[in-house]
Each structure stands twice: as structure tokens, then as C-alpha cells.
Amino acid sequence: LINEAKGIAFVSPTLAATGKIFLQHLLELQRIHGNDKFTIEQARKFSKYYGRKLPERISFVQSVNSCTDIAAIIERVERAFVDWYSFI
């Protein structure tokens, strides 16, 4: 709100930045809760939000939903956003 009042426009993060934020979010949830099942369930929900601008968002969400462990989810997130990591 302060930036808006100053006339500074909000700029959406890049896809690469979005992927990194998603990974940080998941790892922090895992650290705080110490419960992989909870983190996996949250990752499945969050994949719809974080993946909303991906060209292949439906297949990304489906692939995350099929994961049964956090390592697999991290791999899917890295793979989905990898094309954009080199630009930041």
C-alpha cells in the first residue's frame, strides 16, 4: 500500500522466482511442522496457486498430486520451473 501511494507499480515475480518461493515455502513448512504428510498435502494445494502461470500448469499440478514424498515434489517443482531459473 505504501508503494502504491508513492505511485510505484507492483511487478509480479518471474516464473523462476515463483518456483524458488514455492520451494522455500515447502521447506519452511517442513521445518516448522516436522510433518511430511502435512507438507505434502499443503504442496498439493499450493501447486495450483504457484503453478498458475506455467504453460503446462495442469500437468504440473497432476504431477505434484501424484507425489508421495517431499523429495519428489521438490524435483517436480525444480523441473517445472527450471527453464526460467537461468534468467534470474
Side-chain angles (χ1 to χ4, degrees):
L1 293 174
I2 293 171
N3 283 342
E4 186 177 325
K6 292 179 182 178
I8 300 171
F10 174 77
V11 178
S12 294
T14 63
L15 287 174
T18 301
K20 286 184 176 185
I21 293 167
F22 188 14
L23 289 175
Q24 290 170 346
H25 194 167
L26 294 178
L27 294 173
E28 193 63 18
L29 277 174
Q30 184 182 32
R31 185 187 70 77
I32 291 170
H33 294 284
N35 182 329
D36 286 357
K37 182 178 179 187
F38 174 80
T39 303
I40 292 166
E41 289 171 356
Q42 292 302 306
R44 290 173 177 162
K45 293 176 186 176
F46 295 153
S47 68
K48 294 173 190 154
Y49 174 77
Y50 284 108
R52 72 191 182 280
K53 293 184 181 179
L54 286 172
E56 299 293 328
R57 72 182 181 282
I58 294 171
S59 62
F60 170 70
V61 171
Q62 290 171 340
S63 71
V64 170
N65 285 340
S66 71
C67 293
T68 57
D69 62 74
I70 293 170
I73 293 171
I74 290 170
E75 186 271 329
R76 302 278 193 317
V77 172
E78 289 175 341
R79 188 174 37 172
F81 291 90
V82 72
D83 292 338
W84 294 278
Y85 277 116
S86 60
F87 295 111
I88 61 170

